[in-house]
Amino acid sequence: MGSAHQRKTLIFKTIDELCYQYPISYLCKYFEVSRSGYYAWKKLDKPYYKNYDKDLASKILLLFNERKKGYRYITFQLKRKYEITRNPKTVLRYMRILNIKSPIRKKKFFHYSRKEVSLNSIVVSSNILNRNFQAKVPMDKLVTDVSYISQKWTTFFIRCQRSF
């Protein structure tokens, strides 16, 4: 799918270069693409080459190569180092044009030993009923058993028993 997109982009760029010599409708018919598709591409693609500042792009690339950070950091550094104030969305657009992306930070994973898990998660209460579930009157003995099973994630199983 990426190659078909690149092919159409190349065709639309060719039409854009030749549109001053030939009518657009003839060029679209020759390359077998729709006129509306060409105009949609031109409307969407226009911000990439409209008001493109090569000096700003080189400074953004320099800051990115210095420390591989995102567009917010680069916007801050542009203002701090070069006294250039730009909208963060503009910096993001330049980064997309230059095809640079900030690396995704790995999430921190906390490691616990089995001893820590067993000490923190297991609470044993005293056995008051001693498995004597027979009640003489209704609602005399209500029993709840909550079991905690420690795995990668903690799963809770709750089992309620009532004796009447």
Side-chain angles (χ1 to χ4, degrees), residues 80-106:
R80 192 173 147 256
K81 287 187 177 181
Y82 302 110
E83 296 178 0
I84 297 173
T85 306
R86 290 287 186 268
N87 190 322
K89 291 179 183 177
T90 305
V91 175
L92 179 62
R93 189 179 79 226
Y94 274 87
M95 287 178 71
R96 286 181 180 160
I97 292 168
L98 297 168
N99 200 20
I100 53 177
K101 293 180 183 178
S102 61
I104 297 171
R105 182 171 39 98
K106 287 185 179 180

Side-chain angles (χ1 to χ4, degrees), residues 102-150:
S102 61
I104 297 171
R105 182 171 39 98
K106 287 185 179 180
K107 292 182 180 173
K108 292 181 181 178
F109 182 73
F110 296 102
H111 297 280
Y112 297 108
S113 67
R114 285 188 176 188
K115 187 176 182 181
E116 287 174 325
V117 170
S118 64
L119 290 176
N120 292 334
S121 65
I122 297 174
V123 176
V124 179
S125 299
S126 60
N127 187 3
I128 299 169
L129 284 177
N130 284 328
R131 299 187 62 83
N132 182 12
F133 298 113
Q134 297 297 324
K136 293 182 172 102
V137 287
M139 302 293 283
D140 183 27
K141 296 179 182 177
L142 299 174
V143 179
T144 302
D145 179 24
V146 180
S147 300
Y148 298 93
I149 299 174
S150 299

